[in-house]
Amino acid sequence: MAEEDAIFDPTLKKKKKKKKTTFDIDAALAAEGNADTDGAPTNAAESEPKEEDQDDGNVDIDLDFTKKKKKKKKPFNAEDLDAALNDSKEDGGGEGGNQEDGAADDNFDLDLLDFSKSKKKKKKKKDLDELMAETEEKAEDKENVDENSTLWVGSDRDYTYDELLNRAFEIMRDKNPDMAAGKKQKFVMRPPQVVKIGAKKTSFANFTEICKMLHRQPKHLLDFLLAELGTSGSVDGNSQLIIKGRFQQKQIENVLRRYIKEYVTCHTCRSPDTILQKDTRLFFLQCETCGSRCSVASIKSGFQAVTSKRAAIRAKTA
Amino acid sequence: MSIQNLNTFDPFADASKGADDDVQDGLVHIRIQQRNGRKTLTTVQGLSSEYDLKKIVRACKKEFACNGTVIDHPEYGEVLQLQGDQRENICQWLTKAGLAKPDQLKVHGF
């Protein structure tokens, strides 16, 4: 058993990564189904080592898949991908703790869709992580459970629910690797082109292009951006967005990422294939993949402090 | 050696426990606004009116070494306004002081 552990250790780590890429609710349901059917524990225990070996192979293959796919769409190199994976793992660990795996996975998605600049983001996230130190501990607990997932194979102690669930997921991923590898990688987005105009304005050059990619009305995204950034701005003749204030590309990326999380990806299955409809003043997000329909928050800019010269405002209104 | 699936789970556990000492309800919106140059403002909207915002702002000013004020807005109620980018500071401080839970904080801006 000890030897086996030694062999499995690296694979287990990899599995953890992969797990986050593929957790979704359908899968969870299916997993529960699997868990039910795999009822007989003795058989399972005997067949386990073999499956493990297969699994090992598959994991590598899966990772290759993802790399290839990314390369097709974007000139990514492997290091970037690894960095992104590591990052997202940490992010997931930090933030996902309080909202179950689903949320962690969500973060991961958004990282995948990221604009290939994960390294800088890391620092910021870290600070936030400190805030959520408690939740992180929780997440670590969870990871420990993951590592123990197959420990009961040799021993005669009873298995826990989590272990069985993990096993079911592993088997499921073995049987259909395309489900695990594909799907999420569609999400790669082109980075926003942000250029400074003079000292006080910023241009978001491919704004309409990004709206088209997300299948959203430019006005909706515009409202969101301006409300989040707390400024004013407009679309000019060359279909670029001019925002008042100085913003960097990564700042815009952050806001876009939040927009996508809230208004583009389906809240149930996280597919980006959704339609935003307005129905009696409320916005509804209709998913084309799973057919779910849920309302999303309306865009409110909230309190805006006075930042310009008060005398100038008074002169304008009076 | 107990069967975990058969553990009793009380679905009303947090309902019976909840809303006891929790004054803060609803989201606290933390926003940032750019001023001239590199200067920024942080606004905190949605803190419960049961809290004494003046005391909070006094504590924050001391803690973050910045100036700040409470603004009474007809629509949004009392809004905290701090100078500089205090978003992370205020998040940490609010959770540490137990005024709001991390999931009640909503940080806007870049």
PDB file of all heavy atoms in Angstrom, chain A residues 124 127 131 158 160-161 228-229 245-247 251 258 301-305 307, chain B residues 1 4-5 31 33-34 45 73 76 79 81 88 91 95 107-110:
ATOM      1  N   LYS A 124      -2.932  40.379  -6.144  1.00  0.00           N
ATOM      2  CA  LYS A 124      -4.162  40.966  -5.634  1.00  0.00           C
ATOM      3  C   LYS A 124      -5.010  39.920  -4.958  1.00  0.00           C
ATOM      4  O   LYS A 124      -5.511  40.101  -3.870  1.00  0.00           O
ATOM      5  CB  LYS A 124      -4.943  41.605  -6.780  1.00  0.00           C
ATOM      6  CG  LYS A 124      -4.947  43.104  -6.657  1.00  0.00           C
ATOM      7  CD  LYS A 124      -6.004  43.685  -7.528  1.00  0.00           C
ATOM      8  CE  LYS A 124      -6.144  45.152  -7.279  1.00  0.00           C
ATOM      9  NZ  LYS A 124      -7.048  45.761  -8.233  1.00  0.00           N
ATOM     10  N   ASP A 127      -4.101  39.002  -1.453  1.00  0.00           N
ATOM     11  CA  ASP A 127      -4.536  39.874  -0.371  1.00  0.00           C
ATOM     12  C   ASP A 127      -5.949  39.537   0.051  1.00  0.00           C
ATOM     13  O   ASP A 127      -6.271  39.498   1.232  1.00  0.00           O
ATOM     14  CB  ASP A 127      -4.448  41.331  -0.806  1.00  0.00           C
ATOM     15  CG  ASP A 127      -3.001  41.752  -0.950  1.00  0.00           C
ATOM     16  OD1 ASP A 127      -2.165  41.058  -0.368  1.00  0.00           O
ATOM     17  OD2 ASP A 127      -2.741  42.736  -1.644  1.00  0.00           O
ATOM     18  N   LEU A 131      -7.981  37.756   3.693  1.00  0.00           N
ATOM     19  CA  LEU A 131      -9.270  38.089   4.291  1.00  0.00           C
ATOM     20  C   LEU A 131     -10.057  36.818   4.592  1.00  0.00           C
ATOM     21  O   LEU A 131     -10.754  36.701   5.590  1.00  0.00           O
ATOM     22  CB  LEU A 131     -10.032  38.954   3.303  1.00  0.00           C
ATOM     23  CG  LEU A 131     -10.956  40.033   3.848  1.00  0.00           C
ATOM     24  CD1 LEU A 131     -11.422  40.870   2.688  1.00  0.00           C
ATOM     25  CD2 LEU A 131     -12.102  39.445   4.586  1.00  0.00           C
ATOM     26  N   ASP A 158     -13.924   1.548   6.787  1.00  0.00           N
ATOM     27  CA  ASP A 158     -15.055   1.890   5.937  1.00  0.00           C
ATOM     28  C   ASP A 158     -14.723   3.134   5.111  1.00  0.00           C
ATOM     29  O   ASP A 158     -13.964   3.987   5.553  1.00  0.00           O
ATOM     30  CB  ASP A 158     -16.278   2.156   6.810  1.00  0.00           C
ATOM     31  CG  ASP A 158     -17.536   1.719   6.103  1.00  0.00           C
ATOM     32  OD1 ASP A 158     -17.422   1.441   4.887  1.00  0.00           O
ATOM     33  OD2 ASP A 158     -18.573   1.634   6.757  1.00  0.00           O
ATOM     34  N   THR A 160     -15.612   6.731   3.168  1.00  0.00           N
ATOM     35  CA  THR A 160     -16.508   7.846   3.466  1.00  0.00           C
ATOM     36  C   THR A 160     -17.220   8.260   2.188  1.00  0.00           C
ATOM     37  O   THR A 160     -16.836   7.863   1.077  1.00  0.00           O
ATOM     38  CB  THR A 160     -15.733   9.064   4.001  1.00  0.00           C
ATOM     39  OG1 THR A 160     -14.880   9.531   2.966  1.00  0.00           O
ATOM     40  CG2 THR A 160     -14.933   8.687   5.220  1.00  0.00           C
ATOM     41  N   TYR A 161     -18.210   9.050   2.365  1.00  0.00           N
ATOM     42  CA  TYR A 161     -19.001   9.509   1.227  1.00  0.00           C
ATOM     43  C   TYR A 161     -18.138  10.263   0.225  1.00  0.00           C
ATOM     44  O   TYR A 161     -18.232  10.061  -0.980  1.00  0.00           O
ATOM     45  CB  TYR A 161     -20.122  10.412   1.727  1.00  0.00           C
ATOM     46  CG  TYR A 161     -20.951  11.011   0.643  1.00  0.00           C
ATOM     47  CD1 TYR A 161     -21.841  10.232  -0.089  1.00  0.00           C
ATOM     48  CD2 TYR A 161     -20.841  12.354   0.327  1.00  0.00           C
ATOM     49  CE1 TYR A 161     -22.596  10.783  -1.085  1.00  0.00           C
ATOM     50  CE2 TYR A 161     -21.594  12.912  -0.666  1.00  0.00           C
ATOM     51  CZ  TYR A 161     -22.475  12.113  -1.366  1.00  0.00           C
ATOM     52  OH  TYR A 161     -23.215  12.672  -2.369  1.00  0.00           O
ATOM     53  N   GLU A 228     -19.645  50.132 -12.980  1.00  0.00           N
ATOM     54  CA  GLU A 228     -18.614  49.533 -12.142  1.00  0.00           C
ATOM     55  C   GLU A 228     -17.435  50.479 -11.954  1.00  0.00           C
ATOM     56  O   GLU A 228     -16.880  50.564 -10.870  1.00  0.00           O
ATOM     57  CB  GLU A 228     -18.116  48.225 -12.779  1.00  0.00           C
ATOM     58  CG  GLU A 228     -19.006  47.046 -12.538  1.00  0.00           C
ATOM     59  CD  GLU A 228     -19.040  46.646 -11.071  1.00  0.00           C
ATOM     60  OE1 GLU A 228     -18.009  46.223 -10.545  1.00  0.00           O
ATOM     61  OE2 GLU A 228     -20.102  46.760 -10.452  1.00  0.00           O
ATOM     62  N   LEU A 229     -17.057  51.146 -13.024  1.00  0.00           N
ATOM     63  CA  LEU A 229     -15.895  52.020 -12.932  1.00  0.00           C
ATOM     64  C   LEU A 229     -16.243  53.362 -12.325  1.00  0.00           C
ATOM     65  O   LEU A 229     -15.354  54.139 -11.980  1.00  0.00           O
ATOM     66  CB  LEU A 229     -15.275  52.225 -14.318  1.00  0.00           C
ATOM     67  CG  LEU A 229     -14.766  50.957 -14.998  1.00  0.00           C
ATOM     68  CD1 LEU A 229     -14.369  51.244 -16.423  1.00  0.00           C
ATOM     69  CD2 LEU A 229     -13.598  50.395 -14.231  1.00  0.00           C
ATOM     70  N   GLY A 245     -11.296  58.932 -17.371  1.00  0.00           N
ATOM     71  CA  GLY A 245     -10.456  58.376 -16.305  1.00  0.00           C
ATOM     72  C   GLY A 245      -9.358  57.518 -16.896  1.00  0.00           C
ATOM     73  O   GLY A 245      -9.387  57.170 -18.071  1.00  0.00           O
ATOM     74  N   ARG A 246      -8.379  57.192 -16.056  1.00  0.00           N
ATOM     75  CA  ARG A 246      -7.258  56.382 -16.552  1.00  0.00           C
ATOM     76  C   ARG A 246      -7.449  54.954 -16.086  1.00  0.00           C
ATOM     77  O   ARG A 246      -7.556  54.687 -14.894  1.00  0.00           O
ATOM     78  CB  ARG A 246      -5.955  56.924 -15.990  1.00  0.00           C
ATOM     79  CG  ARG A 246      -5.644  58.299 -16.494  1.00  0.00           C
ATOM     80  CD  ARG A 246      -4.833  59.012 -15.466  1.00  0.00           C
ATOM     81  NE  ARG A 246      -3.418  59.045 -15.862  1.00  0.00           N
ATOM     82  CZ  ARG A 246      -2.503  59.647 -15.118  1.00  0.00           C
ATOM     83  NH1 ARG A 246      -2.832  60.174 -13.968  1.00  0.00           N
ATOM     84  NH2 ARG A 246      -1.263  59.670 -15.506  1.00  0.00           N
ATOM     85  N   PHE A 247      -7.474  54.060 -17.056  1.00  0.00           N
ATOM     86  CA  PHE A 247      -7.631  52.659 -16.722  1.00  0.00           C
ATOM     87  C   PHE A 247      -6.623  51.844 -17.495  1.00  0.00           C
ATOM     88  O   PHE A 247      -6.283  52.172 -18.630  1.00  0.00           O
ATOM     89  CB  PHE A 247      -9.047  52.194 -17.052  1.00  0.00           C
ATOM     90  CG  PHE A 247     -10.091  52.917 -16.262  1.00  0.00           C
ATOM     91  CD1 PHE A 247     -10.785  53.967 -16.819  1.00  0.00           C
ATOM     92  CD2 PHE A 247     -10.348  52.569 -14.951  1.00  0.00           C
ATOM     93  CE1 PHE A 247     -11.727  54.660 -16.089  1.00  0.00           C
ATOM     94  CE2 PHE A 247     -11.289  53.251 -14.219  1.00  0.00           C
ATOM     95  CZ  PHE A 247     -11.977  54.297 -14.789  1.00  0.00           C
ATOM     96  N   GLN A 251      -7.258  46.192 -15.504  1.00  0.00           N
ATOM     97  CA  GLN A 251      -8.414  46.645 -14.737  1.00  0.00           C
ATOM     98  C   GLN A 251      -9.698  46.404 -15.518  1.00  0.00           C
ATOM     99  O   GLN A 251     -10.697  45.941 -14.973  1.00  0.00           O
ATOM    100  CB  GLN A 251      -8.263  48.133 -14.407  1.00  0.00           C
ATOM    101  CG  GLN A 251      -7.069  48.394 -13.508  1.00  0.00           C
ATOM    102  CD  GLN A 251      -6.814  49.862 -13.291  1.00  0.00           C
ATOM    103  OE1 GLN A 251      -6.960  50.651 -14.210  1.00  0.00           O
ATOM    104  NE2 GLN A 251      -6.417  50.206 -12.083  1.00  0.00           N
ATOM    105  N   ARG A 258     -15.912  39.994 -14.446  1.00  0.00           N
ATOM    106  CA  ARG A 258     -17.075  40.021 -13.551  1.00  0.00           C
ATOM    107  C   ARG A 258     -18.368  40.057 -14.363  1.00  0.00           C
ATOM    108  O   ARG A 258     -19.361  39.423 -14.002  1.00  0.00           O
ATOM    109  CB  ARG A 258     -16.979  41.231 -12.631  1.00  0.00           C
ATOM    110  CG  ARG A 258     -17.178  40.869 -11.194  1.00  0.00           C
ATOM    111  CD  ARG A 258     -17.018  42.064 -10.302  1.00  0.00           C
ATOM    112  NE  ARG A 258     -15.684  42.621 -10.329  1.00  0.00           N
ATOM    113  CZ  ARG A 258     -15.424  43.908 -10.075  1.00  0.00           C
ATOM    114  NH1 ARG A 258     -16.398  44.745  -9.815  1.00  0.00           N
ATOM    115  NH2 ARG A 258     -14.191  44.346 -10.103  1.00  0.00           N
ATOM    116  N   SER A 301     -25.716  51.979 -10.630  1.00  0.00           N
ATOM    117  CA  SER A 301     -24.423  52.613 -10.371  1.00  0.00           C
ATOM    118  C   SER A 301     -24.295  53.006  -8.903  1.00  0.00           C
ATOM    119  O   SER A 301     -23.201  53.232  -8.417  1.00  0.00           O
ATOM    120  CB  SER A 301     -24.232  53.827 -11.268  1.00  0.00           C
ATOM    121  OG  SER A 301     -25.243  54.762 -11.001  1.00  0.00           O
ATOM    122  N   GLY A 302     -25.402  53.076  -8.176  1.00  0.00           N
ATOM    123  CA  GLY A 302     -25.338  53.358  -6.751  1.00  0.00           C
ATOM    124  C   GLY A 302     -24.895  54.773  -6.442  1.00  0.00           C
ATOM    125  O   GLY A 302     -24.996  55.673  -7.279  1.00  0.00           O
ATOM    126  N   PHE A 303     -24.373  54.925  -5.255  1.00  0.00           N
ATOM    127  CA  PHE A 303     -23.976  56.260  -4.809  1.00  0.00           C
ATOM    128  C   PHE A 303     -22.757  56.740  -5.591  1.00  0.00           C
ATOM    129  O   PHE A 303     -21.788  55.997  -5.758  1.00  0.00           O
ATOM    130  CB  PHE A 303     -23.660  56.217  -3.319  1.00  0.00           C
ATOM    131  CG  PHE A 303     -23.076  57.495  -2.810  1.00  0.00           C
ATOM    132  CD1 PHE A 303     -23.872  58.610  -2.625  1.00  0.00           C
ATOM    133  CD2 PHE A 303     -21.733  57.586  -2.518  1.00  0.00           C
ATOM    134  CE1 PHE A 303     -23.333  59.791  -2.155  1.00  0.00           C
ATOM    135  CE2 PHE A 303     -21.187  58.759  -2.039  1.00  0.00           C
ATOM    136  CZ  PHE A 303     -21.994  59.858  -1.862  1.00  0.00           C
ATOM    137  N   GLN A 304     -22.837  57.943  -6.068  1.00  0.00           N
ATOM    138  CA  GLN A 304     -21.690  58.541  -6.744  1.00  0.00           C
ATOM    139  C   GLN A 304     -21.268  59.791  -5.987  1.00  0.00           C
ATOM    140  O   GLN A 304     -22.055  60.721  -5.822  1.00  0.00           O
ATOM    141  CB  GLN A 304     -22.057  58.927  -8.183  1.00  0.00           C
ATOM    142  CG  GLN A 304     -22.311  57.736  -9.086  1.00  0.00           C
ATOM    143  CD  GLN A 304     -21.058  56.917  -9.308  1.00  0.00           C
ATOM    144  OE1 GLN A 304     -19.989  57.455  -9.529  1.00  0.00           O
ATOM    145  NE2 GLN A 304     -21.184  55.598  -9.227  1.00  0.00           N
ATOM    146  N   ALA A 305     -20.054  59.765  -5.529  1.00  0.00           N
ATOM    147  CA  ALA A 305     -19.564  60.931  -4.806  1.00  0.00           C
ATOM    148  C   ALA A 305     -19.245  62.049  -5.783  1.00  0.00           C
ATOM    149  O   ALA A 305     -19.032  61.805  -6.970  1.00  0.00           O
ATOM    150  CB  ALA A 305     -18.316  60.575  -4.020  1.00  0.00           C
ATOM    151  N   THR A 307     -16.916  64.326  -7.517  1.00  0.00           N
ATOM    152  CA  THR A 307     -15.482  64.332  -7.731  1.00  0.00           C
ATOM    153  C   THR A 307     -15.006  65.551  -8.500  1.00  0.00           C
ATOM    154  O   THR A 307     -13.823  65.845  -8.518  1.00  0.00           O
ATOM    155  CB  THR A 307     -15.023  63.079  -8.480  1.00  0.00           C
ATOM    156  OG1 THR A 307     -15.875  62.891  -9.600  1.00  0.00           O
ATOM    157  CG2 THR A 307     -15.070  61.859  -7.588  1.00  0.00           C
TER     158      THR A 307
ATOM    159  N   MET B   1     -17.587   3.940  12.515  1.00  0.00           N
ATOM    160  CA  MET B   1     -18.207   3.057  11.511  1.00  0.00           C
ATOM    161  C   MET B   1     -19.697   3.345  11.354  1.00  0.00           C
ATOM    162  O   MET B   1     -20.540   2.474  11.469  1.00  0.00           O
ATOM    163  CB  MET B   1     -18.025   1.589  11.937  1.00  0.00           C
ATOM    164  CG  MET B   1     -16.602   1.069  11.833  1.00  0.00           C
ATOM    165  SD  MET B   1     -16.091   0.954  10.148  1.00  0.00           S
ATOM    166  CE  MET B   1     -16.492  -0.748   9.802  1.00  0.00           C
ATOM    167  N   GLN B   4     -22.548   7.254   6.603  1.00  0.00           N
ATOM    168  CA  GLN B   4     -22.624   8.707   6.561  1.00  0.00           C
ATOM    169  C   GLN B   4     -23.891   9.221   5.901  1.00  0.00           C
ATOM    170  O   GLN B   4     -24.377  10.292   6.216  1.00  0.00           O
ATOM    171  CB  GLN B   4     -21.414   9.251   5.822  1.00  0.00           C
ATOM    172  CG  GLN B   4     -20.156   8.928   6.562  1.00  0.00           C
ATOM    173  CD  GLN B   4     -19.024   9.771   6.086  1.00  0.00           C
ATOM    174  OE1 GLN B   4     -19.073  10.326   5.012  1.00  0.00           O
ATOM    175  NE2 GLN B   4     -17.999   9.861   6.890  1.00  0.00           N
ATOM    176  N   ASN B   5     -24.390   8.423   4.973  1.00  0.00           N
ATOM    177  CA  ASN B   5     -25.575   8.897   4.270  1.00  0.00           C
ATOM    178  C   ASN B   5     -26.784   8.975   5.189  1.00  0.00           C
ATOM    179  O   ASN B   5     -27.742   9.676   4.897  1.00  0.00           O
ATOM    180  CB  ASN B   5     -25.910   7.954   3.109  1.00  0.00           C
ATOM    181  CG  ASN B   5     -25.026   8.238   1.941  1.00  0.00           C
ATOM    182  OD1 ASN B   5     -24.377   9.255   1.903  1.00  0.00           O
ATOM    183  ND2 ASN B   5     -25.004   7.313   1.002  1.00  0.00           N
ATOM    184  N   ARG B  31     -17.254  50.848  -3.453  1.00  0.00           N
ATOM    185  CA  ARG B  31     -16.935  51.333  -4.802  1.00  0.00           C
ATOM    186  C   ARG B  31     -15.700  52.204  -4.760  1.00  0.00           C
ATOM    187  O   ARG B  31     -15.316  52.716  -3.716  1.00  0.00           O
ATOM    188  CB  ARG B  31     -18.094  52.157  -5.350  1.00  0.00           C
ATOM    189  CG  ARG B  31     -19.346  51.366  -5.539  1.00  0.00           C
ATOM    190  CD  ARG B  31     -20.311  52.125  -6.416  1.00  0.00           C
ATOM    191  NE  ARG B  31     -21.451  51.282  -6.721  1.00  0.00           N
ATOM    192  CZ  ARG B  31     -22.465  51.128  -5.882  1.00  0.00           C
ATOM    193  NH1 ARG B  31     -22.485  51.753  -4.742  1.00  0.00           N
ATOM    194  NH2 ARG B  31     -23.477  50.333  -6.201  1.00  0.00           N
ATOM    195  N   GLN B  33     -13.868  55.482  -6.960  1.00  0.00           N
ATOM    196  CA  GLN B  33     -14.049  56.500  -7.993  1.00  0.00           C
ATOM    197  C   GLN B  33     -12.730  57.198  -8.218  1.00  0.00           C
ATOM    198  O   GLN B  33     -11.987  57.454  -7.269  1.00  0.00           O
ATOM    199  CB  GLN B  33     -15.077  57.528  -7.527  1.00  0.00           C
ATOM    200  CG  GLN B  33     -16.475  57.173  -7.916  1.00  0.00           C
ATOM    201  CD  GLN B  33     -17.421  58.240  -7.421  1.00  0.00           C
ATOM    202  OE1 GLN B  33     -17.817  58.231  -6.266  1.00  0.00           O
ATOM    203  NE2 GLN B  33     -17.776  59.161  -8.296  1.00  0.00           N
ATOM    204  N   GLN B  34     -12.470  57.497  -9.470  1.00  0.00           N
ATOM    205  CA  GLN B  34     -11.234  58.207  -9.757  1.00  0.00           C
ATOM    206  C   GLN B  34     -11.453  59.697  -9.629  1.00  0.00           C
ATOM    207  O   GLN B  34     -12.476  60.224 -10.064  1.00  0.00           O
ATOM    208  CB  GLN B  34     -10.760  57.878 -11.165  1.00  0.00           C
ATOM    209  CG  GLN B  34     -10.175  56.492 -11.253  1.00  0.00           C
ATOM    210  CD  GLN B  34      -9.424  56.284 -12.532  1.00  0.00           C
ATOM    211  OE1 GLN B  34      -9.639  56.991 -13.510  1.00  0.00           O
ATOM    212  NE2 GLN B  34      -8.547  55.316 -12.542  1.00  0.00           N
ATOM    213  N   GLN B  45     -21.459  51.873   0.663  1.00  0.00           N
ATOM    214  CA  GLN B  45     -22.886  52.118   0.687  1.00  0.00           C
ATOM    215  C   GLN B  45     -23.601  50.869   1.183  1.00  0.00           C
ATOM    216  O   GLN B  45     -23.212  49.756   0.832  1.00  0.00           O
ATOM    217  CB  GLN B  45     -23.350  52.479  -0.729  1.00  0.00           C
ATOM    218  CG  GLN B  45     -24.833  52.664  -0.864  1.00  0.00           C
ATOM    219  CD  GLN B  45     -25.267  52.473  -2.283  1.00  0.00           C
ATOM    220  OE1 GLN B  45     -24.577  52.848  -3.202  1.00  0.00           O
ATOM    221  NE2 GLN B  45     -26.407  51.847  -2.463  1.00  0.00           N
ATOM    222  N   HIS B  73     -27.424  60.591   1.984  1.00  0.00           N
ATOM    223  CA  HIS B  73     -27.972  60.650   0.635  1.00  0.00           C
ATOM    224  C   HIS B  73     -29.461  60.340   0.712  1.00  0.00           C
ATOM    225  O   HIS B  73     -29.857  59.401   1.416  1.00  0.00           O
ATOM    226  CB  HIS B  73     -27.248  59.637  -0.256  1.00  0.00           C
ATOM    227  CG  HIS B  73     -27.529  59.819  -1.705  1.00  0.00           C
ATOM    228  ND1 HIS B  73     -28.616  59.238  -2.307  1.00  0.00           N
ATOM    229  CD2 HIS B  73     -26.887  60.509  -2.665  1.00  0.00           C
ATOM    230  CE1 HIS B  73     -28.612  59.566  -3.591  1.00  0.00           C
ATOM    231  NE2 HIS B  73     -27.574  60.335  -3.831  1.00  0.00           N
ATOM    232  N   TYR B  76     -29.839  56.634  -0.939  1.00  0.00           N
ATOM    233  CA  TYR B  76     -29.035  55.504  -0.474  1.00  0.00           C
ATOM    234  C   TYR B  76     -28.740  55.551   1.016  1.00  0.00           C
ATOM    235  O   TYR B  76     -28.012  54.719   1.530  1.00  0.00           O
ATOM    236  CB  TYR B  76     -27.721  55.454  -1.251  1.00  0.00           C
ATOM    237  CG  TYR B  76     -27.914  55.349  -2.737  1.00  0.00           C
ATOM    238  CD1 TYR B  76     -27.499  56.364  -3.587  1.00  0.00           C
ATOM    239  CD2 TYR B  76     -28.533  54.229  -3.280  1.00  0.00           C
ATOM    240  CE1 TYR B  76     -27.691  56.273  -4.950  1.00  0.00           C
ATOM    241  CE2 TYR B  76     -28.740  54.130  -4.638  1.00  0.00           C
ATOM    242  CZ  TYR B  76     -28.313  55.156  -5.461  1.00  0.00           C
ATOM    243  OH  TYR B  76     -28.516  55.051  -6.806  1.00  0.00           O
ATOM    244  N   VAL B  79     -23.820  57.172   3.608  1.00  0.00           N
ATOM    245  CA  VAL B  79     -22.751  56.554   2.837  1.00  0.00           C
ATOM    246  C   VAL B  79     -21.412  56.995   3.411  1.00  0.00           C
ATOM    247  O   VAL B  79     -21.205  58.174   3.674  1.00  0.00           O
ATOM    248  CB  VAL B  79     -22.831  56.955   1.354  1.00  0.00           C
ATOM    249  CG1 VAL B  79     -21.724  56.299   0.572  1.00  0.00           C
ATOM    250  CG2 VAL B  79     -24.169  56.585   0.771  1.00  0.00           C
ATOM    251  N   GLN B  81     -17.517  57.683   3.079  1.00  0.00           N
ATOM    252  CA  GLN B  81     -16.641  58.085   1.981  1.00  0.00           C
ATOM    253  C   GLN B  81     -15.234  58.275   2.529  1.00  0.00           C
ATOM    254  O   GLN B  81     -15.026  59.017   3.471  1.00  0.00           O
ATOM    255  CB  GLN B  81     -17.169  59.382   1.375  1.00  0.00           C
ATOM    256  CG  GLN B  81     -16.407  59.854   0.175  1.00  0.00           C
ATOM    257  CD  GLN B  81     -17.031  61.109  -0.397  1.00  0.00           C
ATOM    258  OE1 GLN B  81     -18.226  61.150  -0.622  1.00  0.00           O
ATOM    259  NE2 GLN B  81     -16.227  62.120  -0.599  1.00  0.00           N
ATOM    260  N   GLU B  88      -9.607  47.205  -0.064  1.00  0.00           N
ATOM    261  CA  GLU B  88      -9.205  46.000   0.654  1.00  0.00           C
ATOM    262  C   GLU B  88      -9.170  46.246   2.152  1.00  0.00           C
ATOM    263  O   GLU B  88      -9.579  45.398   2.942  1.00  0.00           O
ATOM    264  CB  GLU B  88      -7.854  45.529   0.140  1.00  0.00           C
ATOM    265  CG  GLU B  88      -8.016  44.753  -1.134  1.00  0.00           C
ATOM    266  CD  GLU B  88      -6.697  44.375  -1.754  1.00  0.00           C
ATOM    267  OE1 GLU B  88      -5.693  44.376  -1.039  1.00  0.00           O
ATOM    268  OE2 GLU B  88      -6.691  44.092  -2.949  1.00  0.00           O
ATOM    269  N   CYS B  91     -12.693  46.170   3.507  1.00  0.00           N
ATOM    270  CA  CYS B  91     -13.209  44.791   3.527  1.00  0.00           C
ATOM    271  C   CYS B  91     -12.682  44.067   4.753  1.00  0.00           C
ATOM    272  O   CYS B  91     -13.437  43.440   5.504  1.00  0.00           O
ATOM    273  CB  CYS B  91     -12.771  44.026   2.284  1.00  0.00           C
ATOM    274  SG  CYS B  91     -13.697  44.445   0.839  1.00  0.00           S
ATOM    275  N   THR B  95     -14.939  42.956   8.209  1.00  0.00           N
ATOM    276  CA  THR B  95     -15.091  41.567   8.635  1.00  0.00           C
ATOM    277  C   THR B  95     -14.459  41.356  10.001  1.00  0.00           C
ATOM    278  O   THR B  95     -14.990  40.610  10.818  1.00  0.00           O
ATOM    279  CB  THR B  95     -14.453  40.606   7.625  1.00  0.00           C
ATOM    280  OG1 THR B  95     -13.261  41.187   7.149  1.00  0.00           O
ATOM    281  CG2 THR B  95     -15.372  40.328   6.476  1.00  0.00           C
ATOM    282  N   VAL B 107     -17.541  44.260  -3.785  1.00  0.00           N
ATOM    283  CA  VAL B 107     -16.555  45.252  -4.185  1.00  0.00           C
ATOM    284  C   VAL B 107     -16.737  45.550  -5.665  1.00  0.00           C
ATOM    285  O   VAL B 107     -16.750  44.632  -6.490  1.00  0.00           O
ATOM    286  CB  VAL B 107     -15.133  44.741  -3.913  1.00  0.00           C
ATOM    287  CG1 VAL B 107     -14.126  45.800  -4.275  1.00  0.00           C
ATOM    288  CG2 VAL B 107     -14.988  44.352  -2.468  1.00  0.00           C
ATOM    289  N   HIS B 108     -16.892  46.800  -5.983  1.00  0.00           N
ATOM    290  CA  HIS B 108     -17.033  47.205  -7.382  1.00  0.00           C
ATOM    291  C   HIS B 108     -15.745  47.866  -7.836  1.00  0.00           C
ATOM    292  O   HIS B 108     -14.839  48.094  -7.038  1.00  0.00           O
ATOM    293  CB  HIS B 108     -18.187  48.200  -7.530  1.00  0.00           C
ATOM    294  CG  HIS B 108     -19.502  47.638  -7.133  1.00  0.00           C
ATOM    295  ND1 HIS B 108     -20.356  47.076  -8.042  1.00  0.00           N
ATOM    296  CD2 HIS B 108     -20.095  47.528  -5.937  1.00  0.00           C
ATOM    297  CE1 HIS B 108     -21.436  46.650  -7.404  1.00  0.00           C
ATOM    298  NE2 HIS B 108     -21.313  46.920  -6.125  1.00  0.00           N
ATOM    299  N   GLY B 109     -15.751  48.216  -9.087  1.00  0.00           N
ATOM    300  CA  GLY B 109     -14.581  48.913  -9.618  1.00  0.00           C
ATOM    301  C   GLY B 109     -13.574  47.949 -10.186  1.00  0.00           C
ATOM    302  O   GLY B 109     -13.802  46.758 -10.234  1.00  0.00           O
ATOM    303  N   PHE B 110     -12.440  48.463 -10.591  1.00  0.00           N
ATOM    304  CA  PHE B 110     -11.479  47.663 -11.328  1.00  0.00           C
ATOM    305  C   PHE B 110     -10.679  46.743 -10.451  1.00  0.00           C
ATOM    306  O   PHE B 110     -10.542  46.894  -9.297  1.00  0.00           O
ATOM    307  CB  PHE B 110     -10.531  48.576 -12.101  1.00  0.00           C
ATOM    308  CG  PHE B 110     -10.216  49.852 -11.426  1.00  0.00           C
ATOM    309  CD1 PHE B 110      -9.234  49.909 -10.463  1.00  0.00           C
ATOM    310  CD2 PHE B 110     -10.924  50.998 -11.750  1.00  0.00           C
ATOM    311  CE1 PHE B 110      -8.952  51.088  -9.843  1.00  0.00           C
ATOM    312  CE2 PHE B 110     -10.633  52.181 -11.118  1.00  0.00           C
ATOM    313  CZ  PHE B 110      -9.650  52.238 -10.153  1.00  0.00           C
TER     314      PHE B 110
END
